[in-house]
Structures are given as structure tokens and as C-alpha cells.
Amino acid sequence: MARVAVVTGGTRGIGEAISLALKEAGITVAANYAGNDEKAAAFTERTGIKAYKWDVGDFDACAAGVQQVEAELGPVDIVVNNAGITRDGTILKMTRDMWEDVIRINLGGCFNMAHAVFPGMRSRKWGRIVNIGSINGQAGQYGQVNYAAAKSGIHGFTKALAQEGARFGVTVNAIAPGYIDTDMVAAVPADVLEKIVAKIPVGRLGQAHEIARGVAFLCSDDAAFVTGSTLSMNGGQHMY
Ligand SMILES: NC(=O)c1ccc[n+]([C@@H]2O[C@H](COP(=O)([O-])OP(=O)(O)OC[C@H]3O[C@@H](n4cnc5c(N)ncnc54)[C@H](OP(=O)(O)O)[C@@H]3O)[C@@H](O)[C@H]2O)c1
């Protein structure tokens, strides 16, 4: 039977490319999203991949969402924690809500989803969890204390959970993308984006499908020996 994957934020941008790459690898994909029904419906129409709406920042909603996917498609073998938001501002302008929303969704979402699927993966002795971090979680970024903290937290979360899963065939890895051509980056002012691209050694933004290839590898049987790692995919912008 085909393996089953949940891709959070899987209906747009990087998530859409991940959903497609996993489908191409023969995996049955459930694409989660937050609220953009129109984009989700168009995605399902285009790809034939079913979309499921819930907020990954809500612990109970994640448990219920996974339960629904499992009832309809079978046990979840793979989770890609891709859903993420930005609420940028310098610390002087950042409200408590901006801080909490980003931590709750970007970092809390990883915990909520992993908590819902980990027992099943562990008991079946096979699982793949891939968390989408960010170059800004590795290097920091002006105006993003919330986002950088959440993404940096994802990298720590990955290394800790990898240690809990290793003996049970459950690998946990992260990908830290650099700047990728999606709606999220389209929201960055043009003059700021120009300066960012000038600092990328390969001289361009990344494409969502390039990140998706990395995710597909980490979700494969061939990646069984890779766990607790962070794959940096950033055009050479940050090397460490
Ligand atoms: N783009 C970049 O340059 C870049 C760089 C480094 C890391 N990343 C990370 O890569 C991931 C994807 O980024 P992207 O640029 O593809 O983003 P995007 O185009 O803004 O798409 C975000 C996706 O996440 C979903 N989402 C947002 N909040 C959610 C929630 N609370 N619950 C469930 N789903 C939620 C959205 O659903 P709706 O459609 O319903 O809103 C959408 O499907 C994010 O984690 C981001 O931080 C992106």
C-alpha cells in the first residue's frame, strides 16, 4: 500500500511543490492549509491532491486533522511541517500578538503535528518527519526576532526528536531554505528584495521545486541513515 504523507501548508508555494514531489514519488498526500479556500480548491483541481483545513497552531485541531486523514487515507507515515507565517517588525514595533502568532504556528505547529503522529510511526517502526526551518533561523534577520526564534527553535526540535525516533525507524530532519520565489517573498518590498538577491552567490532566488526535491529525498527509504540533520538550500548565502 502507498505511504501516506501530510504536508502542512501544502496547497501553496513551497508546500505545493512538496505535495507534488511526494505524489510523484508514489505517496498518497494530504495537503493541509489554514484558510485560503480558493487557493486550496484550485490546488486540488490542478493536482488531484485532497486538501484539509486546520490551524497547525491548534493542538486539538492537529490531532483531529490527523485522525480524519488516517480514517480516509490510512496511517500517516510522513509529516512535512511546512506551514509558516511572518509577522515582521523590529522589536520596538513588534506586539506580543506578532510574537505569539509566529511562535504558535511556526514552532508550535511542529510540536502539535509530531505529537499527533509520532506514536503511530514508532509502533509501525517507520516514519519521516521533515521540518521546514529557514536561513533566518540559522543566521538571524533584522526585524524578525519572532520568526528567527521560531525557525531556530525548529532546528533544535529536530535534533532532539531525532534522538527519540532513531531506534524506531523514525527519522527527523530539517531543511533550511534561503530565499525562495513564493508569495511570502513577494511580500518583501522590491528594494529590500533586490539587496537580498545581490547577497545570494548563485545570483537568483530559489525555486520551490528545488526545496521539494530535498524533502522527497529525506522522506525516502534511501534516507534512512540521515536523521537530526539540517539541509541548507540557500544558493550559498549562508554556509555553516
Ligand atoms: N519563501 C521563502 O523564501 C522561505 C524561506 C525560508 C523558509 N521558508 C518557510 O517555508 C515554508 C513555506 O513558505 P512559503 O513561502 O511557501 O509560504 P506561503 O507561500 O506563504 O504559503 C504558506 C502556506 O502555509 C499555510 N499556513 C499558514 N498558516 C497556517 C496555519 N496556521 N495552519 C495551517 N496552514 C497554515 C498557508 O495556508 P493558506 O493558503 O490557507 O493561507 C499556505 O498553504 C514556511 O514555513 C516558511 O517559513 C520560506
Side-chain angles (χ1 to χ4, degrees):
M1 224 169 82
R3 288 194 166 124
V4 173
V6 175
V7 180
T8 70
T11 56
R12 288 202 278 131
I14 294 172
E16 172 171 6
I18 294 169
S19 296
L20 279 170
L22 295 184
K23 185 185 176 192
E24 276 162 24
I27 294 160
T28 304
V29 178
N32 150 272
Y33 70 104
N36 195 329
D37 297 320
E38 207 177 304
K39 284 265 167 91
F43 162 84
T44 298
E45 178 85 26
R46 240 185 353 264
T47 63
I49 296 171
K50 196 165 173 198
Y52 293 81
K53 178 156 82 170
W54 73 80
D55 174 6
V56 298
D58 179 332
F59 182 82
D60 293 334
C62 288
V66 166
Q67 223 171 35
Q68 186 191 350
V69 170
E70 295 203 324
E72 292 179 14
L73 306 178
V76 173
D77 305 296
I78 297 164
V79 165
V80 182
N81 284 313
N82 164 79
I85 60 164
T86 50
R87 296 283 184 271
D88 295 351
T90 60
I91 197 156
L92 297 179
K93 291 187 182 146
M94 189 171 292
T95 63
R96 179 133 187 156
D97 281 352
M98 289 159 80
W99 167 263
E100 281 179 354
D101 283 351
V102 169
I103 300 293
R104 182 180 66 82
I105 291 170
N106 295 14
L107 181 57
C110 293
F111 171 76
N112 297 340
M113 287 302 299
H115 196 271
V117 298
F118 199 75
M121 290 178 174
R122 201 180 120 122
S123 69
R124 292 187 300 277
K125 302 255 184 305
W126 200 93
R128 298 282 182 268
I129 297 175
V130 179
N131 304 314
I132 305 300
S134 170
I135 186 172
N136 294 350
Q138 297 171 311
Q141 178 62 271
Y142 185 92
Q144 283 197 326
V145 292
N146 52 0
Y147 186 84
K151 292 301 189 181
S152 178
I154 283 178
H155 298 306
F157 173 88
T158 298
K159 288 186 257 190
L161 189 60
Q163 296 182 30
E164 296 185 27
R167 280 190 303 127
F168 302 98
V170 181
T171 68
V172 187
N173 291 288
I175 289 189
Y179 285 81
I180 311 301
D181 194 5
T182 68
D183 292 348
M184 186 180 271
V185 164
V188 176
D191 56 323
V192 177
L193 195 57
E194 207 174 297
K195 284 184 195 140
I196 290 170
V197 172
K199 286 191 191 140
I200 303 175
V202 303
R204 64 170 174 86
L205 294 175
Q207 296 299 316
H209 71 86
E210 295 176 300
I211 304 303
R213 294 310 306 155
V215 174
F217 168 67
L218 291 171
C219 292
S220 69
D221 283 315
D222 284 341
F225 203 57
V226 184
T227 195
S229 75
T230 295
L231 176 58
S232 296
M233 304 181 83
N234 59 33
Q237 193 182 350
H238 181 67
M239 304 179 189
Y240 91 133

